[in-house]
Amino acid sequence: RPKRLFVLINPYGGKRRASKIYEAEIKPLLEAAGVEVTMQETRYRGHAREVASSLDLARYDGIVCVSGDGVLVELVNGILQRSDWEEAIKMPIGVVPAGTGNGMAKSLLHAASETCSVSDAVFAIIRGHKQALDVCTIAQGEKIVFSVLSTTWGLVADVDIESEKYRWMGSARFDFYALVRIMNLRRYRGSVHFVPAPGYEAYGDPVKQSETPIVEQNGESRVCSYQGPRAEFQGSDWRSIDGPFVGVCVYNVPWAAENAMAAPEAKFSDGYMDAVILKDCPKADLLALLLKMSDGSYVKSPHVTYLK
């Protein structure tokens, strides 16, 4: 059980209630459990990453995010930027749902047969419950970022980014703006190349050896932060699915938000990402799919390709 925790609060997340939630619900429980707390509020986007990259981890038994999923992602990126990242990733990270989506908190608590509530999350932290978690490395040009929840392109990314101006609506902003985007549906041209997990080799079309994507590794010894997995994919059996797409999403955990089981087969640390690929789909069918996201049954639709 943790004795000393560093708590990061995002006062701007969700409906901007995280600070009140901490004072009213979290702090009393931690105090009652005899946990010593150092609390800090994030002041701007990227602040949590900066804090995590320079925090003296030896002083704490864990870091707790009181926010949605954004601060968690920043925290992981900050830890992996450190020169001592191999030691730093052993630091447990706690997640208390106080944002818009809360997909990670929901995934963790649902797996433990608990409700997605502030109190259940705090009790799990106090008891020292831990769960190993995969990290996905994303390279875009020279830039490397790390993902622990999801990576999206197309419809879901547009809904997430373009609904920012409706933050005051809380999680309802996603449903509202999804409706707006479906009414004015966009299609995205591209091609998805992937190495299928065992059992998924029949998905997509084979990729010719000459067209195999080059997955570059940064092998320079002067780089002291984490640079991604040292995996070799050159000899792998690559497959591809061509667009146009309505959306492509890659998930690491089952729940994308408290009310959306986006990847029902996803596991926290199985070494695989779960891809959800949506090609041409009539608007009425797309609306019906959204209504089936709460239990994950939407992946059974003929319009959805789901694979690891």
Side-chain angles (χ1 to χ4, degrees):
R1 293 193 177 196
K3 295 277 186 286
R4 302 162 303 166
L5 292 175
F6 183 83
V7 178
L8 262 177
I9 298 172
N10 175 13
Y12 307 105
K15 292 184 176 177
R16 300 177 174 238
R17 290 186 57 241
S19 299
K20 287 179 182 169
I21 289 170
Y22 173 74
E23 290 296 333
E25 299 181 60
I26 301 169
K27 190 179 174 184
L29 288 174
L30 293 176
E31 285 179 349
V35 179
E36 189 183 310
V37 174
T38 303
M39 188 272 283
Q40 182 169 345
E41 289 190 349
T42 57
R43 296 194 300 274
Y44 46 85
R45 191 184 292 267
H47 190 196
R49 188 181 70 241
E50 290 173 16
V51 170
S53 64
S54 59
L55 190 66
D56 181 2
L57 298 178
R59 293 174 56 196
Y60 307 103
D61 302 318
I63 304 173
V64 176
C65 304
V66 181
S67 72
D69 296 306
V71 167
L72 171 66
V73 172
E74 282 192 23
L75 192 58
V76 170
N77 276 269
I79 285 172
L80 291 171
Q81 277 179 354
R82 297 170 65 108
S83 56
D84 64 344
W85 65 268
E86 287 180 271
E87 198 57 38
I89 58 169
K90 295 173 186 171
M91 171 65 68
I93 299 172
V95 189
V96 180
T100 307
N102 305 317
M104 185 60 76
K106 173 72 175 187
S107 295
L108 288 165
L109 289 162
H110 183 257
S113 301
E114 304 278 2
T115 55
C116 186
S117 67
V118 169
S119 57
D120 279 352
V122 176
F123 284 133
I125 290 164
I126 289 169
R127 293 184 190 122
H129 288 183
K130 295 183 188 73
Q131 168 65 58
L133 183 68
D134 288 335
V135 173
C136 176
T137 304
I138 302 159
Q140 198 165 16
E142 292 293 299
K143 191 179 180 188
I144 290 179
V145 290
F146 304 105
S147 163
V148 287
L149 189 84
S150 63
T151 306
T152 60
W153 174 49
L155 177 65
V156 176
D158 286 353
V159 169
D160 203 353
I161 294 165
E162 293 172 19
S163 69
E164 277 286 330
K165 54 182 174 284
Y166 302 109
R167 264 194 177 275
W168 53 271
M169 295 174 75
S171 60
R173 73 178 167 107
F174 295 136
D175 301 327
F176 163 70
Y177 204 77
L179 199 58
V180 172
R181 276 272 54 89
I182 288 170
M183 291 299 106
N184 304 279
L185 201 58
R186 298 167 181 157
R187 284 176 177 77
Y188 301 80
R189 302 196 174 278
S191 179
V192 177
H193 289 226
F194 58 94
V195 177
Y200 294 87
E201 294 90 349
Y203 288 81
D205 301 310
V207 175
K208 293 193 195 91
Q209 199 63 39
S210 59
E211 296 170 7
T212 300
I214 303 299
V215 182
E216 297 194 10
Q217 303 298 149
N218 192 335
E220 297 175 39
S221 56
R222 63 183 174 77
V223 178
C224 50
S225 62
Y226 178 63
Q227 293 298 302
R230 299 224 161 273
E232 284 297 331
F233 292 108
Q234 258 41 57
S236 300
D237 177 24
W238 284 84
R239 313 282 293 181
S240 72
I241 296 175
D242 291 329
F245 302 103
V246 169
V248 176
C249 303
V250 181
Y251 295 101
N252 193 31
V253 296
W255 295 83
E258 279 182 72
N259 60 352
M261 188 188 246
E265 299 299 317
K267 305 285 186 287
F268 293 101
S269 57
D270 60 356
Y272 301 115
M273 304 299 288
D274 286 42
V276 176
I277 299 172
L278 193 59
K279 292 188 75 167
D280 254 358
C281 184
K283 290 178 183 179
D285 290 349
L286 202 47
L287 278 172
L289 283 184
L290 279 184
L291 296 172
K292 290 180 177 175
M293 277 196 85
S294 60
D295 62 359
S297 62
Y298 82 105
V299 300
K300 297 188 175 92
S301 162
H303 299 293
V304 175
T305 300
Y306 184 96
L307 64 111
K308 285 183 179 286

